[in-house]
Amino acid sequence: MIDPFLVPHQYYKKGDINIDMIASLNTFIFDEIPFNNQPATKMTDELMTKSKNYQHILSLVFAVNEINKNLKTLLNISLGFHIYDSYLNARMIHQNTLKLLSSQKTIVPNFKCFKQKNMIAVIGGLSFEISFYMTTLLGIYKIPQIAYCVNAPEMDDKSQLPPFYRMVPNEEYQYEGIVKLLLHFQWTWVGILSMENDNGEKFLQTLMPMLLKHGICTALNEKIPATTHAVETLSSFDSILDKASYLSNSEVNVLIVNAETGVMTYLTWVMLIYAMLKDIKVTSISKVWITTAQWDFSADVMHRAFDIQVFHGSLSLAIHSNEDLGFRKFLQVLHAKTSKDNDFLRIFWQQAFNCSFPDSKEEEMRSVTCTGEEKLNSLPGTLFEISMTGQSYSIYNAVHAIAHSLQKMYSSRQKHRAMLDRSRLDLPEVQPWQLHSLLRSTSFNNGAGDTVSLNENGELAAGFDIINWVTFPNQSFSRVKVGEMDPYTTQGQTFTINEGAVIWHNTFNQILPTAKCNDNCLPGYSRKKKEGKPFCCYDCVPCPDGKISDQKDMDNCFQCPKDQFPNRNRDQCLPKRPNFLSFTEALGICSVFFSLSSSFITALVLGIFIKHKNTPIVKANNRELTYCQLVSLLLCFLCALLFIGRPNAVTCYLRQISFAIIFSVAVSTILAKTITVVVAFMATKPGSRMRKWVGKGLANTVLLGCSFIQTNICAVWLSTTPPFPDLDMDSIAEEIIVECNEGSITMFYCVLGYLGFLASISFTVAFLARKLPDSFNEAKFITFSMLVFCSVWLSFVPAYLSTKGKYTVAVEIFSILASSAGLLGCIFAPKCYIIILRPSLNSREQLIKRNI
């Protein structure tokens, strides 16, 4: 049978058990198959090598050597390997996977023609597509496959034992890490570059809902060619420019890249062509690149002069790596003559060092001759790294996981089964499918000191590192770990980042880049969505009266607590000032002054009347009722003081009750005096029956009866819903009204209504008695005083209802003082005038003379 596969690259090392691998080192542009002749694989262009990926092969070789040297791992059993290349081409991936399943020379997948080729597991591939193509074949034979791609291919039959494992964390943690990274830096306006394949669709379907859930919008969504088609796409400059809008869009500073390995090459070529056509420097393209874990600076050798500083300051989620101490020494002694069975080494050496061996069969010989003694540490990091990368570390751990699983299998068999030769296991009896149960439960400490274990899904039980890529003009770069996304942490915080350690692209001048559709809405404003725009684009609207926003970009303004009010900028709540009539403010001082001065005048009048108690003018007007009236007026002036100062339980109890009862007494004395005068004159008529009512008994009855009714009303008020101190936080925006809640507004108006009733009767009786002889009648004065009294309290009601806070209290104080002063002035001022200034008129003779 003629082998149609003309690409000979492989690396083989014989062992009792083989761990095979599909690497991703070289790339060709392959000719289309016309199916007119026998199918064959032919290259239409020169070989392109991703020299950095050669470390993947070396990590497997290093791990196998390390295990073979350690007699404790696999006693008297050697590991070998067989490595083919994927060439980033679906056809070649299938062909070389079939080669691993067949003999070394021809494809006969269902037969074992050579006993010495005992494959136990396969490692690969680097990308989602490569892994998927391998799985479709390896799954048929239940051969364990350990991939080092972050994205897992979907298995059609979930009920079957899965042949697919990944020495990388679950990709869901990667999406979660990207979202949390965006939220940490408040980037809500981003672009997405996704692969143009099933993996890219899965990336979008998973990431987009998470972005929307957390309020992040996508400004653009571009497709980039999949790994196996990227090279073909690069041949069309027009298609590249059509898809390069994300480079020219100045409004989008942050780009999320679903980065398979070939994407780095594709983006590099796109930026080179874009910069050339736009006549700009590549480094002037300033973006923050946020990439998935497959991202790496693996520049193709054909554009090794490309300035990687365009990616300076990029952030990526990366597979955790920790270098084995012997790996660097292993690389230092490596030279081109190390192995004759390694077809990759010479190709890598010539491409990486840009030289040619004397016996090279290349069509174009390079000017520099390869000696084979060149040092790997002299290569720039874009071509080869001395430190172990994340993918290499995953391959290293995969080899050790297989070895530890084999060790468990051998140990179990040695305990439960008698063997003819106890020093050696019957190798043909070891089948690849038997390794599955052991791989799923494997857990060990590797040579770098890390604990490696797989979860129930066959994935690495670990998280991702957050890497900041710092580049330098000499094409070197540094991976700086600035955080991590680790759901398995024992410290409780799954996402951490050291923002101060992040280095940004030079054009940002080390200032945190912004990624928003528009500027932030400052405190005092709320966001209002723009019609026809994504929800991240909005207008800023001032907060309405009574509401604030104390943070940037708030969707809604909110009310301040009841004891606070918005400031002028509506971005902060200030404590409300207490509002009550205090003794220290001008209005309170004036009220106190008028209250005390009026009380002093009333006391002075009372003293005058007591001093002249035996004079006709005092005796003629019922001396005892006069004293009672003056005392009640004195108390009326003084009770106004209860309304000043911060209300408390005692003052709230006393102020309205004392006001009501004292005023009732004052008005009742006036009513009693008026009724007494009317009855006295009616009794002078011949045959009048009113004579029996003449005397002090009638006046006392009226006084006590009227006051008793008001006292009962107040008693009912206090026993049911008494007044109490209260805080009114709603009536005045910037103040808290400290007031006495009346408890029952009905009882309050009942008290006022009864006072009005007494005043109305007094006014009516006095008005009817106004034509009685003046010498013994003060009905005219009482009429006028009641007119003043009623006018004051009628105007009190609307004024009381229309004012708030301390001014309400001031209105009541004014009404108390004014009505009391009206009674005092109208009734007692004329008498004091006669007593003090016209004593000659204060005689019995003058009263009789005036009567005649």
Side-chain angles (χ1 to χ4, degrees):
M1 179 178 180
I2 301 175
D3 187 1
F5 306 103
L6 304 178
V7 183
H9 307 121
Q10 63 178 321
Y11 187 4
Y12 177 74
K13 179 180 180 180
K14 182 180 179 181
D16 296 327
I17 294 179
N18 276 1
I19 300 177
D20 294 349
M21 179 180 181
I22 298 294
S24 298
L25 178 64
N26 301 309
T27 303
F28 286 105
I29 296 178
F30 293 94
D31 195 7
E32 295 292 332
I33 299 177
F35 295 101
N36 296 326
N37 302 312
Q38 181 176 346
T41 302
K42 297 181 180 180
M43 300 171 290
T44 61
D45 205 343
E46 66 174 302
L47 183 71
M48 294 181 292
T49 300
K50 296 184 178 297
S51 57
K52 193 171 186 176
N53 290 0
Y54 186 64
Q55 193 193 86
H56 302 168
I57 297 175
L58 295 179
S59 64
L60 182 141
V61 175
F62 172 74
V64 168
N65 293 341
E66 190 177 55
I67 293 168
N68 288 337
K69 292 178 182 178
N70 186 357
L71 300 179
K72 294 182 180 180
T73 305
L74 294 174
L75 183 62
N76 294 330
I77 296 175
S78 64
L79 291 180
F81 53 80
H82 197 171
I83 304 173
Y84 281 107
D85 202 336
S86 70
Y87 300 101
L88 301 181
N89 181 274
R91 189 193 320 167
M92 292 305 302
I93 295 168
H94 284 100
Q95 291 175 356
N96 287 339
T97 303
L98 287 172
K99 277 194 172 185
L100 292 178
L101 295 170
S102 308
S103 66
Q104 296 185 26
K105 299 297 182 182
T106 58
I107 296 181
V108 189
N110 290 323
F111 296 89
K112 285 190 175 182
C113 301
F114 299 92
K115 184 178 180 179
Q116 65 268 24
K117 186 175 181 182
N118 190 18
M119 179 177 64
I120 195 68
V122 179
I123 297 176
L126 177 61
S127 70
F128 166 86
E129 290 179 311
I130 297 171
S131 301
F132 177 74
Y133 297 145
M134 293 172 60
T135 301
T136 55
L137 295 175
L138 296 176
I140 298 173
Y141 302 96
K142 301 297 187 289
I143 297 174
Q145 175 190 354
I146 303 181
Y148 48 101
C149 64
V150 177
N151 307 101
E154 297 291 336
M155 305 302 298
D156 294 331
D157 189 359
K158 299 290 184 181
S159 62
Q160 299 296 321
L161 187 65
F164 189 82
Y165 302 89
R166 291 190 301 151
M167 198 53 66
V168 292
N170 189 311
E171 61 183 311
E172 294 292 335
Y173 305 144
Q174 177 175 236
Y175 298 131
E176 186 178 349
I178 291 174
V179 172
K180 289 188 174 181
L181 189 65
L182 296 175
L183 292 176
H184 176 82
F185 291 112
Q186 299 180 2
W187 291 334
T188 58
W189 188 246
V190 299
I192 297 180
L193 308 181
S194 58
M195 299 291 291
E196 198 170 12
N197 59 2
D198 292 341
N199 177 30
E201 289 301 321
K202 181 181 178 182
F203 176 80
L204 288 176
Q205 292 174 7
T206 306
L207 183 61
M208 289 293 289
M210 297 177 69
L211 295 177
L212 294 174
K213 179 181 177 181
H214 292 88
I216 301 171
C217 295
T218 52
L220 55 90
N221 191 343
E222 295 289 344
K223 297 288 186 179
I224 51 180
T227 306
T228 52
H229 303 291
V231 177
E232 287 85 346
T233 307
L234 288 172
S235 60
S236 174
F237 287 176
D238 293 337
S239 64
I240 291 176
L241 290 179
D242 290 340
K243 293 179 176 292
S245 60
Y246 48 85
L247 298 177
S248 59
N249 192 337
S250 60
E251 295 180 356
V252 182
N253 289 328
V254 176
L255 294 174
I256 303 173
V257 183
N258 175 27
E260 294 283 355
T261 304
V263 173
M264 174 70 184
T265 302
Y266 177 79
L267 288 177
T268 300
W269 276 107
V270 167
M271 284 187 281
L272 279 173
I273 297 172
Y274 178 81
M276 177 182 66
L277 296 178
K278 297 293 184 179
D279 194 23
I280 60 174
K281 292 183 178 180
V282 173
T283 53
S284 65
I285 302 174
S286 57
K287 303 291 180 184
V288 177
W289 304 87
I290 298 179
T291 65
T292 53
Q294 296 292 83
W295 176 270
D296 198 3
F297 282 126
S298 179
D300 288 2
V301 295
M302 62 190 309
H303 55 82
R304 65 177 65 212
F306 176 76
D307 194 345
I308 64 173
Q309 289 192 90
V310 69
F311 296 113
H312 180 66
S314 299
L315 295 169
S316 70
L317 279 84
I319 304 168
H320 173 73
S321 63
N322 196 2
E323 187 172 349
D324 188 289
L325 296 178
F327 186 68
R328 191 176 292 267
K329 295 180 181 178
F330 170 75
L331 296 180
Q332 289 174 349
V333 299
L334 185 69
H335 53 83
K337 301 175 183 179
T338 301
S339 176
K340 297 180 180 180
D341 297 324
N342 187 355
D343 294 332
F344 300 106
L345 183 57
R346 286 173 60 91
I347 298 173
F348 159 75
W349 210 269
Q350 291 183 131
Q351 297 271 15
F353 291 103
N354 198 23
C355 61
S356 298
F357 287 101
D359 58 346
S360 175
K361 297 180 181 180
E362 291 183 344
E363 296 181 1
E364 294 184 8
M365 295 292 292
R366 295 175 177 85
S367 59
V368 179
T369 302
C370 298
T371 64
E373 300 296 332
E374 289 85 359
K375 298 298 181 181
L376 292 177
N377 56 11
S378 65
L379 293 173
T382 54
L383 296 179
F384 192 84
E385 289 186 69
I386 298 298
S387 60
M388 187 176 284
T389 64
Q391 291 93 344
S392 298
Y393 191 63
S394 297
I395 296 169
Y396 171 81
N397 287 330
V399 176
H400 276 275
I402 296 170
H404 279 79
S405 298
L406 287 172
Q407 183 188 35
K408 289 181 181 179
M409 182 185 295
Y410 295 160
S411 299
S412 176
R413 290 193 177 189
Q414 287 173 350
K415 291 179 181 178
H416 299 92
R417 179 170 152 197
M419 302 175 60
L420 296 176
D421 184 1
R422 295 180 179 273
S423 63
R424 193 170 184 84
L425 186 69
D426 188 11
L427 295 178
E429 295 185 9
V430 179
Q431 299 298 325
W433 60 265
Q434 296 173 323
L435 208 62
H436 285 296
S437 61
L438 298 172
L439 274 175
R440 284 184 293 175
S441 61
T442 187
S443 180
F444 60 92
N445 291 329
N446 63 15
D450 288 339
T451 300
V452 180
S453 60
L454 298 180
N455 60 22
E456 64 278 4
N457 297 320
E459 300 163 333
L460 183 65
F464 290 91
D465 291 340
I466 299 175
I467 301 299
N468 182 213
W469 296 85
V470 181
T471 62
F472 304 98
N474 62 354
Q475 294 295 83
S476 63
F477 61 88
S478 175
R479 288 186 180 92
V480 181
K481 180 180 176 180
V482 295
E484 61 182 5
M485 176 64 201
D486 187 6
Y488 295 92
T489 183
T490 57
Q491 299 178 357
Q493 192 173 1
T494 59
F495 178 84
T496 58
I497 188 168
N498 181 7
E499 185 176 338
V502 179
I503 304 297
W504 304 112
H505 192 279
N506 295 331
T507 56
F508 296 117
N509 296 322
Q510 206 50 31
I511 298 175
L512 177 65
T514 58
K516 294 181 179 293
C517 179
N518 45 260
D519 294 334
N520 296 98
C521 286
L522 299 176
Y525 293 83
S526 63
R527 300 191 299 187
K528 181 180 179 181
K529 185 182 180 302
K530 290 183 177 180
E531 293 295 332
K533 296 286 186 178
F535 65 89
C536 292
C537 301
Y538 45 81
D539 293 317
C540 296
V541 181
C543 290
D545 291 339
K547 293 186 177 182
I548 70 158
S549 62
D550 57 356
Q551 297 178 8
K552 293 181 178 179
D553 291 335
M554 294 193 67
D555 292 324
N556 297 293
C557 301
F558 60 90
Q559 295 277 1
C560 287
K562 285 196 171 184
D563 59 344
Q564 298 179 1
F565 71 97
N567 63 353
R568 181 174 297 179
N569 295 329
R570 299 175 186 175
D571 58 0
Q572 185 181 5
C573 289
L574 302 178
K576 290 184 177 180
R577 301 182 301 274
N579 181 297
F580 61 91
L581 186 60
S582 68
F583 288 99
T584 57
E585 61 182 299
L587 189 57
I589 293 173
C590 292
S591 299
V592 170
F593 172 76
F594 285 113
S595 175
L596 294 178
S597 60
S598 299
S599 300
F600 175 75
I601 294 172
T602 305
L604 184 62
V605 172
L606 178 60
I608 294 173
F609 270 65
I610 293 174
K611 183 178 179 181
H612 300 85
K613 61 183 178 179
N614 294 320
T615 61
I617 199 169
V618 176
K619 294 169 65 177
N621 288 283
N622 198 329
R623 184 168 51 193
E624 289 73 14
L625 284 179
T626 300
Y627 294 160
C628 182
Q629 186 178 14
L630 286 171
V631 171
S632 63
L633 289 176
L634 173 64
L635 294 177
C636 285
F637 286 121
L638 292 177
C639 80
L641 299 176
L642 293 174
F643 292 83
I644 306 174
R646 190 182 187 97
N648 54 58
V650 175
T651 57
C652 287
Y653 261 76
L654 293 179
R655 59 165 59 172
Q656 299 293 1
I657 302 302
S658 59
F659 152 73
I661 295 176
I662 294 171
F663 258 79
S664 296
V665 173
V667 177
S668 297
T669 57
I670 296 174
L671 178 60
K673 290 175 67 174
T674 307
I675 291 176
T676 301
V677 173
V678 173
V679 170
F681 277 95
M682 291 178 66
T684 60
K685 295 179 180 180
S688 176
R689 297 180 181 180
M690 303 298 291
R691 292 181 181 180
K692 62 181 179 179
W693 297 102
V694 176
K696 297 181 180 180
L698 177 61
N700 294 335
T701 301
V702 173
L703 174 62
L704 294 176
C706 294
S707 302
F708 180 73
I709 294 174
Q710 184 73 295
T711 302
N712 285 338
I713 295 175
C714 292
V716 172
W717 187 5
L718 291 178
S719 62
T720 55
T721 52
F724 58 90
D726 195 13
L727 300 177
D728 181 3
M729 301 183 183
D730 301 321
S731 297
I732 302 179
E734 300 181 5
E735 296 179 348
I736 299 176
I737 299 176
V738 185
E739 62 181 359
C740 284
N741 190 307
E742 309 304 343
S744 172
I745 198 67
T746 302
M747 296 304 297
F748 174 67
Y749 284 111
C750 284
V751 167
L752 289 182
Y754 182 71
L755 283 176
F757 172 72
L758 290 180
S760 300
I761 294 177
S762 298
F763 174 77
T764 302
V765 175
F767 180 78
L768 295 176
R770 70 187 186 281
K771 294 183 179 181
L772 295 176
D774 292 342
S775 301
F776 302 97
N777 185 18
E778 54 181 344
K780 293 181 179 179
F781 302 135
I782 292 176
T783 302
F784 188 71
S785 67
M786 285 296 100
L787 184 61
V788 173
F789 182 91
C790 293
S791 300
V792 169
W793 286 105
L794 284 175
S795 61
F796 162 78
V797 175
Y800 183 85
L801 295 176
S802 61
T803 54
K804 297 177 182 179
K806 59 185 177 182
Y807 298 107
T808 302
V809 177
V811 166
E812 190 165 0
I813 292 174
F814 171 79
S815 299
I816 293 172
L817 295 178
S819 59
S820 300
L823 294 178
L824 180 65
C826 293
I827 296 175
F828 294 99
K831 297 179 177 59
C832 290
Y833 171 77
I834 293 174
I835 293 172
I836 298 173
L837 300 178
R838 302 290 298 275
S840 59
L841 298 178
N842 189 11
S843 64
R844 184 177 178 83
E845 293 77 11
Q846 286 295 326
L847 292 176
I848 295 174
K849 181 179 179 181
R850 284 189 298 171
N851 187 41
I852 295 173

